[in-house]
Amino acid sequence: MLEETLYSRYFSYLDETYADFIMCPKIDKVETIDGNTRRHIVQASALNYSAHHGDVPFDRIHIMLTDTPENGVKINKVTIQKGISEKESAIQCRRAS
């Protein structure tokens, strides 16, 4: 639940182009910047909702951002991984390992 809440916070900073990427949000990695617990580099991912009926394979978004008190949230990189496998989508949604 915490991952979904944190992902929702960061998702709001993305361009409308990525509005479909709301399924199985996951915070993949959080690193502190220079050991400061208030400054972070975050890597997150999620699947596209439009593929949830199984008609087409899922796409997965990967987001890298920084979150600091002085600059707020800054999206550094967004990539889309097209057509991920069923196994990968299950792992994203924690149905398999």
Side-chain angles (χ1 to χ4, degrees):
M1 185 69 156
L2 177 61
E3 281 190 13
E4 289 178 15
T5 302
L6 194 54
Y7 182 84
S8 294
R9 169 178 154 65
Y10 295 136
F11 183 75
S12 67
Y13 288 88
L14 289 176
D15 184 277
E16 185 65 27
T17 306
Y18 307 110
D20 193 36
F21 289 91
I22 58 171
M23 280 198 57
C24 304
K26 188 173 177 183
I27 302 300
D28 300 309
K29 188 175 185 180
V30 176
E31 297 177 47
T32 61
I33 299 172
D34 297 328
N36 185 327
T37 58
R38 296 183 60 220
R39 303 174 79 233
H40 300 93
I41 297 172
V42 178
Q43 295 178 29
S45 59
L47 302 176
N48 62 321
Y49 180 78
S50 59
H52 83 283
H53 290 294
D55 301 336
V56 294
F58 282 104
D59 295 338
R60 179 170 35 205
I61 192 171
H62 294 276
I63 307 160
M64 181 179 277
L65 60 90
T66 52
D67 187 357
T68 62
E70 57 275 1
N71 297 318
V73 174
K74 180 181 177 210
I75 304 295
N76 299 320
K77 184 177 180 183
V78 177
T79 57
I80 305 294
Q81 183 182 3
K82 297 279 190 181
I84 67 169
S85 70
E86 271 189 57
K87 180 180 178 184
E88 285 297 312
S89 65
I91 290 169
Q92 179 75 29
C93 293
R94 295 190 187 128
R95 291 189 305 258
S97 56

